[in-house]
Amino acid sequence: MEKITADVVIVGAGGAGLRAAIAIAESDPDLDVALISKVYPMRSHTCAAEGGAAGVKGADDSLENHFHDTVSGGDWLCDQEVVEYFVNQAPRELVQLEHWGCPWSREDDGSVAVRPFGGMKKKRTWYAADKSGFHILHTLFQTSLQFPTIKRFDEYFALELLHKNGKCRGVVAMEMRSGRFFSFQSSVVIMATGGGGQCFPFTTNGAIKTGDGMAMAYRAGVPLKDMEFVQYHPTGLPGTGILLTEGCRGEGGILVNKDGRRYLQDYGMGPETPVGEPVLKTMELGPRDRLSQAFWHEQKKGNTVETPWGDCVLLDMRHLGEKKINERLPLVRELASSYVGHDPVTDPVPVRPVIHFMMGGIDSNLNGETPMPGLFAIGETACSGLHGANRLGSNSLTDLLVSGRRSAERAAEYARKAGEIPEDPAMTAQSEDVVTAIRELLQQSGGGESIAGIRREMKSTLEEGAGIYRDEEGTLKACEKIAELRGRYGKIEVHDKSNVFNTDLQQALELRNLLDIAETVAEASLERRESRGAHQRLDHVERDDEHFLKHSLAYRQPDGRPRIDWLDVTITRSKPGVRDYSGGKSE
Amino acid sequence: MSMRQMELEVMRYDPEQDDEPHFQSYSVPCEDDWAILDALNYVKENIDTTLAYRWSCHMMVCGSCGMMVNGEPSLTCKTFIRDLPDKVRIEPLENFPIERDLVVVLDDVMEKLRMAKPFIIRHDEPPPEDQEYTQSRAALYKFKQYTMCVNCMCCYAACPQYALDSSFIGPAVLALAHRYNIDSRDQGKSERLDLLADHDGVWECSFVGACSEVCPKSVDPAAAVQQMKIDGAKEWWKQKLGGGKS
Ligand SMILES: Cc1cc2nc3c(=O)[nH]c(=O)nc-3n(C[C@H](O)[C@H](O)[C@H](O)COP(=O)(O)OP(=O)(O)OC[C@H]3O[C@@H](n4cnc5c(N)ncnc54)[C@H](O)[C@@H]3O)c2cc1C
């Protein structure tokens, strides 16, 4: 097996991985960076983000405001020193992107424009029409091309972490084109592999979002934090799960049920605001968890609209007019027209909640450090404690930049201290073991299980047992079922035996990763016996700060099942309070 | 939702086994609102797990799923079966070597992207780190459409010049260079000139406009190339007469 050494290995070339790579290259041209990605960087799912990136801008807003919105939006499960650092750095990072050429939308005076977003008290979401993530990703990718020290390994699939005496030592990866294996040896690995929404059936997450980095870290003994917190976005297109950005509501779109009622006012987010004049932090601009939960109740009451793709509510944007829709929401118009045949200019568009974002991930801190020295985690694959129990829309794109740069500084320092990577037969042996396991997987046959079959069962299990609302019985059943599926995984067959671009094998490996993280989602949902943010229990309806103002940590046990432990939340200046989305009417 | 039986004729090629690419037929029960990509996914899940193709976002932005559909370079997540006959032929993008089945080798264009220097180049200091450039909406709209390229490479599959000679830089990369040239924040035009105006650059374009016709994101690379020709000629004369860089 070929060995490649690098001062820093970054796994993942989405927004987070690219930002980190650039920061290292800029700050220390003596460090070589190996940037590994299972797809070409510009295919990374950051490209799908539509709405924008939050950072305080303008005199009427303050860092303090952004801090409080984030902490209360996260139902006080945020680590406040992380939030503090994040809101402080956000504007600088967004300006940096502007200097790198990001085509942000502009105000009349030529300054960068900001739009309202859910749960944010002020307009502070920087946007590039409704293709913000796409432009951020391409700007970062194109900017990265000027740095010779960033060596890319495009379409290399990372398989397993290498580690010794509790320290990270690299990663093993497979080149898709050739099926050859490579042992990347390094004292620093930055995991930037994105989320894992594909463990649910109905999701805005692309096919590549299979939680690989989380699963690799988990199997290497690193805990996954807050995995029970999975965000539903309230406005997905039925059928495909394609997202219609929160920007639709930020610009003034409204949600109505089958009777044309703006039902959010019935769920603590009223009183009703005038149509087309969105008021921040109330009604349609309430937080995502609340909006998705309101849908669930409307469906129970029979107030939803039946469509060929199941029950929906309607997102009405007609009053925005064609001009505004074309200027601010062109992609939304194209997506809704193409995929469900409803042009938002002339028709209300059917939507329903859809799995969107994982607040949980690899246990990390403000610096991206994980409990395993040498292993860093950033972006959606990490859980630094920024998002708490519910991420506010547009905080994530900014987090890619802030955590990307910060972790790069620390990782570079760590790499310089670690110095030369020693020749180590143990690492080569560990790498060989990974390869042997894959060769065995390729050869096994006759077990009678299929990849697609197990994947389908896993997805429906999580939706049923760990969806918008959960309870003891359902989550318990989900835990058992996923453990069973993990057992049955041993009987799958990979039919494709080719070394060249073997997507059958890739899907088998991704399924293994999905099963691992799905089990932590189910187990942590079972153990958190309270309701908080995106985690709502029908049998424990209140938030319980006395017992659960804590992060959950899922550790993998020798038998493969997770064990849940708890970690205190860092509270600095905002004591847990009530989340108020009445538009200030109840203050 | 009603169903329609479609026949997909898919090009297959595994370099480890096949001397030549060949076609394989799949009969797929499709829902009315499906895109070609959904039909391929149906095959992969239910009929033949060995079929190889790239895809990810299924929402027209990641650019992974470019293929030839009935001879047209297309993004398969936005090519709907409602617009197609019952029998559809799916092949890898033309003008690229085939890696496996519907997956093509993209090394050449990936390397050319770098050659375009697609990043802001400044000779003057940029504004301080807490201050943005001012850019009017008019200035933004000037280059905005060229930022929409998803690098799906459909334009390369359509380009007659690239088909003849793959050293030609080609539509998407030229459009990208132009995008930076006309961004009010950039001052790197002259550094991009050498590459783009030499024999593999803009002058090779025969201006049939096939690139702009097939672009699934309505980018107009042909217009960019045309503009660059004009700019390039001006610059060339300026350097000739003025005896130095502008
Ligand atoms: C439709 C949609 C819209 C969104 N809109 C917004 C928004 O408006 N504002 C906002 O703030 N957030 C938004 N989000 C969330 C945000 O876009 C994501 O959280 C963020 O882009 C994730 O970035 P990332 O860099 O962590 O991961 P990604 O961009 O997903 O990149 C992951 C990278 O890891 C690589 N990788 C993964 N596994 C492996 C492996 N095994 N081997 C090698 N490489 C691997 C991939 O190739 C890829 O390069 C949205 C999300 C979605 C899905």
Side-chain angles (χ1 to χ4, degrees), chain A residues 11 57 79 81 98 114 116 157 181 197 305 323 344 347 351 363 388 408 447 451 546 552:
Chain A
V11 187
K57 189 170 192 305
D79 284 314
E81 90 282 13
E98 198 274 340
V114 283
F157 186 89
F181 296 93
V305 181
K323 183 163 175 278
D347 306 319
V351 293
D363 179 20
I451 296 169
E546 193 187 331
S552 69

Side-chain angles (χ1 to χ4, degrees), chain A residues 12-13 15-16 37-38 44 46 49 51-52 158 193 212 357 380 391 394 396-397:
Chain A
S37 174
K38 67 178 175 180
S44 303
T46 295
T193 44
D212 301 348
F357 182 86
E380 193 173 339
R391 170 189 73 116
S394 74
S396 167
L397 287 173

Side-chain angles (χ1 to χ4, degrees), chain A residues 363-370 375-378 403 406-407 410:
Chain A
D363 179 20
S364 72
N365 64 14
L366 168 63
N367 303 319
E369 293 149 346
T370 71
L375 178 68
F376 294 72
I378 53 175
S403 69
R406 174 72 170 189
S407 73
R410 292 306 168 105

Side-chain angles (χ1 to χ4, degrees), chain A residues 40-43 45 47-48 50 57 92 95-112 126 128-129 131 134-135 138-139 141-147 150 152 154-155 176-177 204 206-208 240 242-243 308-309 327 331 334-335 337-339 452 455-456 495-504 507, chain B residues 1 12 14-17 33 35 38 44-46 49-65 77-78 80 82 99-101 103-107 110 113-114 117-120 122 126-137 140-141 143-144 147-153 176 179-180 183 185 216-217:
Chain A
Y40 285 103
M42 66 279 186
R43 316 289 189 221
H45 207 57
C47 73
E50 300 171 17
K57 189 170 192 305
R92 172 183 152 183
V95 170
Q96 174 65 79
L97 266 188
E98 198 274 340
H99 289 187
W100 282 336
C102 188
W104 294 121
S105 293
R106 300 282 171 166
E107 303 286 2
D108 288 339
D109 67 358
S111 64
V112 174
W126 302 44
K131 299 191 181 84
F134 169 81
H135 289 301
H138 280 249
T139 301
F141 172 58
Q142 289 160 11
T143 300
S144 79
L145 293 175
Q146 66 196 281
F147 299 104
I150 303 176
R152 286 209 327 270
D154 294 340
E155 300 198 324
M176 290 303 293
R177 173 181 305 189
T204 63
I208 57 175
T240 53
I242 291 170
L243 176 81
W309 313 275
E327 187 191 314
L331 181 65
E334 188 181 7
L335 293 170
S337 306
S338 308
Y339 290 105
R455 193 168 54 208
R456 262 195 297 270
H495 298 281
D496 191 347
K497 307 295 179 195
S498 176
N499 288 306
V500 183
F501 219 92
N502 187 336
T503 48
D504 199 13
Q507 290 193 354
Chain B
M1 197 140 308
R12 303 295 311 267
D14 178 354
E16 289 187 328
Q17 289 191 5
D33 60 348
D38 298 306
K44 179 92 179 159
E45 278 201 19
N46 301 291
T49 63
T50 68
L51 181 64
Y53 53 99
R54 294 184 175 108
W55 75 287
S56 174
C57 77
H58 197 297
M59 54 180 284
M60 317 171 179
V61 286
C62 79
S64 309
C65 66
C77 69
K78 74 169 291 197
F80 293 92
R82 58 179 173 255
E99 195 163 306
R100 163 86 192 267
D101 296 344
V103 177
V104 293
V105 179
L106 293 174
D107 295 356
M110 291 304 292
L113 278 179
R114 185 192 298 275
K117 300 191 180 161
F119 34 80
I120 298 284
R122 296 284 298 179
E129 67 172 34
D130 59 350
Q131 209 181 306
E132 49 201 82
Y133 292 95
T134 308
Q135 184 167 62
S136 69
R137 286 206 191 113
L140 171 66
Y141 290 141
F143 71 93
K144 178 94 198 206
T147 66
M148 300 298 187
C149 170
V150 297
N151 299 152
C152 65
M153 315 299 180
L176 181 63
R179 170 249 177 276
Y180 280 94
D183 186 322
R185 296 166 290 189
K217 304 306 289 186

